[in-house]
Amino acid sequence: MCVRRMAIAVSRPHKAPMPSAVAEAPADPLDEARAILRRTFGHAEFRGLQANVIAEVLAGNSAMAVLPTGGGKSVCYQIPSMMRPGLGLVVSPLIALMTDQVAGLQQSGVAAARLDSNIDPQEKADTWRRIEAGELDLLYVSPEGLMQPWMLERLARVPLALIAIDEAHCVSQWGHDFRPEYRMLGRLAELFPGVPRLAVTATADARTRDDIRAELHLEASPEFVDSFARPELVLSAERKRGSALKRVVELVAARPDRSGVIYAGSRDKTEQIAQALRDAGVPALAYHAGLERQLRSDRLEQFLQADAAVMVATIAFGMGVDKPDVRFVIHADAPASIEAYWQEIGRAGRDGDLAEGITLYGAADMSWALRRIGERDVDPVVKQAQTAKVRQLYALLDGTGCRAATVRRYFGEEGVEACGQCDLCTGRIDLSDATEAAQKALSAAHRLGGRFGRGRLVDHLLGKTKDVSDSEAALSTWGIGQELSASAWRDLVEQLLFEGLLREDPNDGRPLVGVGDADAVRAVFRGERRVAIQTRAEEPAGRVRKARKGRETLATAPSDKALFEALRAWRSREAKGQHVPPYVIFHDRTLAEIAAVKPGSRAALERVNGVGEGKLARYGAAVLEVVAGFAG
Ligand code: ADP
Ligand code: ZN
């Protein structure tokens, strides 16, 4: 089996104690861990750095693990929790995330529960009884729930196997998703001194990683950082031109019968896009924090259960969602940072099959993001870091180098090669010099004194301003831009905004364009700095399929298709009956493998990836019956 993610950094800043148990115990604890991986989770082998992380925790040491989305972070703490004596505590920021994981574990026959504000008193009491009787292997809690004094007191009397801190980047204000309540988790080190702590996250640049270690007192613990590569993701980005709404509908219509997520910058926009998609016949739902709670959870459930549905959401829709078969993520508005980009795009293709990440962006998004940072009431140093993050994001989106490689380098990976499948690797970019036109646009913006928007600036250059005043018509820049079309001027203005040569003041939705960085502008006038316009060759439709480099697909052989569909129909009935998403029962991938192998016995079924002991006991007979129905 090929390991598609390689370790890039496993550092031990201070020597961690060698596990002394090794000398006495001849059996490698990893063998038992592997047996659990097979038996309980139905996976043949560890992947990426899972085995390294698990070995560290089994030796009783704390650690930090940065593994990509879908890389399998959860077994890194689930398996040690099951093997080590005592209760494994998992701190997680979202109830949706906990609910999903606990449901999945229970399906696999693992003794897991959660304590959160949604749990009724009866169930709570029962959970505490199981904790105190030592019957539970895993307990999921929120950070604020865990740090309540009575909770800490009660847990202090229970032996703990480990404490896992999921989404650990939330502890860092350099990260992209700082949550103040995570800061309290720093106290866990002194409260539970002998208990190994494992911080896990999917996205953290070097600075954020340092911060996580400092905040959680993991300075002396090893750090496992996996590659950020997601070879199943095909990335592309395009500047917004005209109506973004129309473009989104076009993109979705070109990807029929697939599940997707569309991120939009505001609640209103999610509603508008969802409506436009429904009008175009696409089953689309809007999702944002302004919706009533019950409606939100109904829509989430609808999305998770559907074989093809589109969710149009604000970033309120996210961390807890791991529908494995999301085939595309489209940003109708640019994300907030490269971390956010990678995490949001990363919700596509979690089953390992090919998926697309498409981003629409514009200079207006950038100005808006920069302005919001400017208005924030935070430390100037933090502001500076956040501004740099925004600039880096747009350098990625509007840049010319491989997108996947740029992201991986951003996270500190070295020796990264181009992905060969993003729009910049496969497409053609033509650069043409536009310095002279840029000089004209810059002087026009200067003469107009930052009082007008982009449209008026372009009209001025073309000499087409409606009801032009005498004073404006008398300016030397009036009508000097006849050589370019209006749309070419608009593109150039956008380019100048990205480069910071022009600046846009959002002005409450009626943005005004003015001259940007004075030194840079002067350099353009002197001809010391050149301005180039990019044109990207249009991608032919269907490129994605061709871009694949022999990776296996989920697509079942035509002869197995009917059985695959029958298995899905069975799974769908089962999921509805149990009120769980279908994928906690079996992933598509597992069903596809069953359809291909057509197991005739329990033993044969158990060899299929994703079928563990618990699921065999629960579903073995039913699955074998569906398969037998197709045998002849
Ligand atoms: P994340 O790192 O994003 O939290 P999860 O822990 O949810 O990822 O795992 C993602 C998917 O990968 C799950 O469906 C899980 O069952 C699967 N998985 C985890 N470990 C392995 C493995 N060693 N081999 C195959 N699949 C695995
Ligand atoms: Zn590329």
Side-chain angles (χ1 to χ4, degrees), residues 27 49 71 119 131 145 154 204 212-213 298 318 331 494 616 622:
L49 296 176
I119 303 281
I131 293 171
R154 208 159 170 186
I212 293 173
R213 290 162 42 135
D298 289 349
H331 279 98
E494 179 91 355
L616 188 69

Side-chain angles (χ1 to χ4, degrees), residues 1 4 37 41-48 50 67-78 97 101 166-167 200-202 230 322 324 346 350-351 583 587 589 609-610 615:
M1 185 184 156
R4 64 194 167 108
L37 181 76
F41 297 96
H43 302 311
E45 239 342 301
F46 286 121
R47 59 185 191 200
Q50 282 176 332
L67 310 183
T69 308
K73 284 181 286 299
S74 27
V75 299
C76 293
Y77 51 80
Q78 288 165 349
L97 202 69
Q101 283 216 9
D166 205 357
E167 310 289 354
V200 297
T201 173
R230 291 283 310 273
D322 53 3
R350 294 181 69 131
D351 54 13
Y583 56 79
H587 276 186
R589 176 159 281 238
N609 213 5
K615 292 195 177 171

Side-chain angles (χ1 to χ4, degrees), residues 451-510:
R451 286 173 294 133
F452 303 112
R454 297 186 202 193
R456 180 77 179 263
L457 174 60
V458 171
D459 286 348
H460 175 89
L461 285 160
L462 292 168
K464 283 187 178 160
T465 317
K466 249 191 253 149
D467 305 325
V468 67
S469 65
D470 290 345
S471 56
E472 184 178 336
L475 295 176
S476 61
T477 45
W478 166 253
I480 53 162
Q482 309 296 339
E483 73 275 27
L484 294 181
S485 67
S487 81
W489 278 117
R490 278 198 294 273
D491 283 353
L492 179 60
V493 168
E494 179 91 355
Q495 177 72 31
L496 296 173
L497 285 162
F498 276 120
E499 294 194 25
L501 292 162
L502 287 177
R503 203 190 307 262
E504 197 164 48
D505 173 358
N507 187 36
D508 281 334
R510 297 182 53 91

